[in-house]
């Protein structure tokens, strides 16, 4: 087992109606709040009005229209400006992972005198950040329980996962009923994203029996409950299980004691989203089975056997490569069965920029150090196989 040093400072408040506790949580900060949100889903949900009612005696400033794959310019820059000009005390992010990720970058940028891109691109280490409280409305990223945010910069085709211990939310509100309105497309993409977060931790050299069981159960819970959510969007238990499995996704708890993996599918997908602005979970679902096929080897096969037998119930009394290939096919078929488009051309990506993207990924994502190392040629082959 690998050594680790682990702490998640985020308070999770989970369940129907928990938003009523918002004033009590916000009371520990000052009265000046930056409320951040996306394109309007929180207004349709009634959550915008609810927050305004609960925080009636606060001074609320707003940053709206934060897009999926949140943009440095204008969203991060505008948010930092509002915080600095109005001496904001706390950020309240209400929405999906994009809103929360953007808010994390704003939180750090608000306490920094220079260009916030210096922080996001790791040129400068943040010394402070505004506190963040969130009400998450989409089960997917796990941003509500981790220290990262992913920010896109259109002009340079960068999509960077910016992580810093200062960026853990102080408190996350998780009410599964807010996810009843999430579309089928986003429900499926959220499931694929969270499944891939687990796989990025599962496929490694050194793992623990405990962690493997936790992750195998996480994958099964996500598959079973995503199907239920798609059949009945208002199935509270299914939405709740999905929300919790997603929340664990990115803060390291699934893989305590496991060795480094390099998160290769995320490294590749972030470039696809940066170049083509596609939905993150869909990009991952398309890449994952092709990555699996590409790295299957004598060195990696045993992990695929364990995955296939324990997650998909494949008969263990077969040739190990047969089991591994069945596991990869089952992964593909599951994503297909929840109506995720399974080819890059289905999401508007052709072969015209593969070389450019592969080079960008090879230079920026460090995948030569992954569990199954990937060089530029490997990356180009995986993207080509995904077309
Ligand atoms: O903008 P609004 O109107 O709010 O609509 C959003 C958006 O169009 C909508 N939505 C959210 N909650 C809803 C809802 N629609 C109806 N009912 C609700 N309750 O869903 C759309 C997608 O929202 P978005 O926030 O983009 O989705 P998600 O939560 O999947 O976030 C994706 C972003 O997170 C990053 C991704 O790269 C991507 O940029 N990631 C963040 C991670 C992290 N912080 O740890 C890890 C992930 O690997 C991921 O990279
Ligand atoms: Zn992800």
């Amino acid at each position: 087992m690998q050594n680790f040093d682990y702490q998640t400072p985020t308070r999770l408040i989970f369940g129907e109606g928990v938003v009523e506790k918002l004033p009590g949580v916000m009371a520990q900060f000052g009265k000046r709040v930056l409320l951040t949100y996306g394109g309007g889903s929180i207004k349709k949900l009634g959550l915008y009005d609810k927050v305004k009612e609960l925080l009636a005696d606060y001074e609320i400033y707003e940053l709206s229209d934060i897009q999926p794959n949140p943009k440095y310019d204008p969203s991060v820059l505008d948010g930092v400006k509002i915080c600095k000009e109005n001496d904001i005390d706390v950020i309240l992010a209400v929405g999906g992972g994009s809103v929360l990720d953007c808010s994390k970058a704003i939180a750090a940028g608000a306490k920094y005198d220079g260009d916030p891109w210096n922080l996001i691109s790791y040129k400068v280490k943040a010394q402070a950040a505004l506190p963040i409280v969130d009400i998450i409305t989409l089960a997917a990223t796990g941003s509500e329980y981790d220290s990262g945010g992913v920010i896109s910069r259109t002009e340079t085709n960068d999509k960077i996962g910016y992580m810093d211990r200062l960026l853990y939310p102080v408190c996350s509100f998780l009410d599964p009923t807010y996810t009843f309105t999430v579309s089928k497309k986003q429900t499926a993409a959220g499931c694929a994203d969270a499944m891939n977060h687990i796989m990025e931790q599962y496929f490694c050299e050194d793992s623990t029996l405990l962690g493997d069981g936790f992750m195998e159960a996480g994958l099964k819970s996500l598959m079973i409950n995503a199907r239920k959510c798609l059949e009945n969007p208002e199935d509270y238990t299914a939405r709740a299980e999905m929300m919790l499995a997603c929340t664990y996704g990115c803060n390291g708890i699934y893989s305590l004691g496991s060795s480094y993996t390099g998160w290769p599918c995320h490294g590749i997908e972030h470039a696809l989203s940066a170049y083509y602005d596609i939905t993150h979970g869909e990009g991952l679902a398309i890449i994952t089975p092709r990555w699996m096929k590409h790295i299957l080897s004598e060195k990696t096969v045993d992990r695929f056997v364990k995955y296939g037998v324990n997650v998909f119930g494949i008969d263990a009394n077969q040739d190990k490569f047969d089991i591994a290939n069945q596991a990869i096919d089952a992964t593909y078929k599951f994503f297909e069965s929840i109506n995720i488009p399974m080819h890059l051309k289905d999401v508007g990506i052709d072969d015209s920029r593969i070389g450019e993207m592969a080079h960008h990924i090879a230079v920026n994502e460090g995948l030569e150090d992954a569990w199954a190392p990937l060089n530029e040629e490997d990356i180009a082959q995986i993207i080509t196989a995904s077309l």
Side-chain angles (χ1 to χ4, degrees), residues 188-263:
C191 170
D193 186 20
M195 284 180 67
N196 188 265
H197 295 158
I198 297 178
M199 293 177 199
E200 299 273 41
Q201 296 168 82
Y202 187 87
F203 289 100
C204 67
E205 188 62 36
D206 184 16
S207 65
T208 68
L209 207 50
L210 179 64
D212 283 354
F214 189 18
M215 289 190 271
E216 287 156 7
L219 289 168
K220 285 194 270 196
S221 166
L222 284 163
M223 287 193 285
I224 291 167
N225 289 298
R227 277 196 206 290
K228 290 185 179 173
C229 294
L230 291 168
E231 277 160 24
N232 176 10
E234 301 201 3
D235 180 334
Y236 179 84
T237 306
R239 288 285 192 190
E241 273 225 37
M242 209 180 139
M243 194 169 222
L244 192 56
C246 289
T247 297
Y248 291 143
C250 273
N251 89 342
I253 194 168
Y254 273 124
S255 56
L256 290 177
S258 296
S259 57
Y260 178 75
T261 71
W263 285 59

Side-chain angles (χ1 to χ4, degrees), residues 121-138:
S121 60
Y122 297 100
K123 280 202 196 84
V124 175
K125 163 85 181 79
Q127 298 303 311
L130 285 173
I132 302 161
V133 175
D134 67 86
I135 304 171
I136 201 81
T137 62
L138 200 162

Side-chain angles (χ1 to χ4, degrees), residues 345-373:
K345 61 176 164 27
D346 301 336
V347 295
I349 299 179
D350 60 19
D351 62 359
S352 59
R353 301 184 82 181
I354 292 178
E356 193 188 338
M357 288 193 292
H359 182 70
H360 186 98
I361 296 162
V363 170
N364 292 297
E365 298 290 343
L367 299 185
E368 299 252 18
D369 299 328
W371 171 59

Side-chain angles (χ1 to χ4, degrees), residues 104-161:
K104 289 178 178 179
I106 294 168
K111 293 282 186 182
Y112 173 64
D113 283 338
D115 180 350
W117 192 253
N118 291 338
L119 304 170
I120 295 165
S121 60
Y122 297 100
K123 280 202 196 84
V124 175
K125 163 85 181 79
Q127 298 303 311
L130 285 173
I132 302 161
V133 175
D134 67 86
I135 304 171
I136 201 81
T137 62
L138 200 162
T141 63
S143 188
E144 64 274 18
Y145 205 35
D146 73 29
S147 63
V150 189
I151 302 297
S152 295
R153 191 163 187 180
T154 314
E155 70 271 24
T156 52
N157 291 314
D158 279 312
K159 182 169 179 184
I160 297 185

Side-chain angles (χ1 to χ4, degrees), residues 4-59:
F4 60 84
D5 179 341
Y6 177 82
Q7 184 186 29
T8 300
T10 303
R11 175 180 173 191
L12 298 180
I13 307 184
F14 191 101
E16 184 168 5
V18 292
V19 73
E20 298 297 338
K21 292 187 178 173
L22 183 64
V25 168
M26 296 297 279
Q28 63 189 295
F29 312 108
K31 288 281 180 197
R32 301 163 82 85
V33 179
L34 175 64
L35 171 64
T36 55
Y37 56 98
S41 68
I42 70 160
K43 290 191 172 164
K44 286 190 203 134
L45 265 174
L47 188 50
Y48 174 84
D49 288 339
K50 182 73 189 173
V51 165
K52 288 296 228 23
E53 178 197 317
L54 287 167
L55 302 182
D57 56 343
Y58 284 72
E59 205 174 320

Side-chain angles (χ1 to χ4, degrees), residues 158-214:
D158 279 312
K159 182 169 179 184
I160 297 185
Y162 171 44
M163 298 178 76
D164 191 303
R165 294 197 60 79
L166 295 166
L167 304 182
Y168 280 105
V170 177
C171 181
S172 293
F173 288 86
L174 301 114
D175 181 338
T177 66
Y178 294 147
T179 66
F180 286 176
T181 52
V182 174
S183 66
K184 287 190 192 307
K185 174 190 164 83
Q186 291 294 342
T187 299
C191 170
D193 186 20
M195 284 180 67
N196 188 265
H197 295 158
I198 297 178
M199 293 177 199
E200 299 273 41
Q201 296 168 82
Y202 187 87
F203 289 100
C204 67
E205 188 62 36
D206 184 16
S207 65
T208 68
L209 207 50
L210 179 64
D212 283 354
F214 189 18

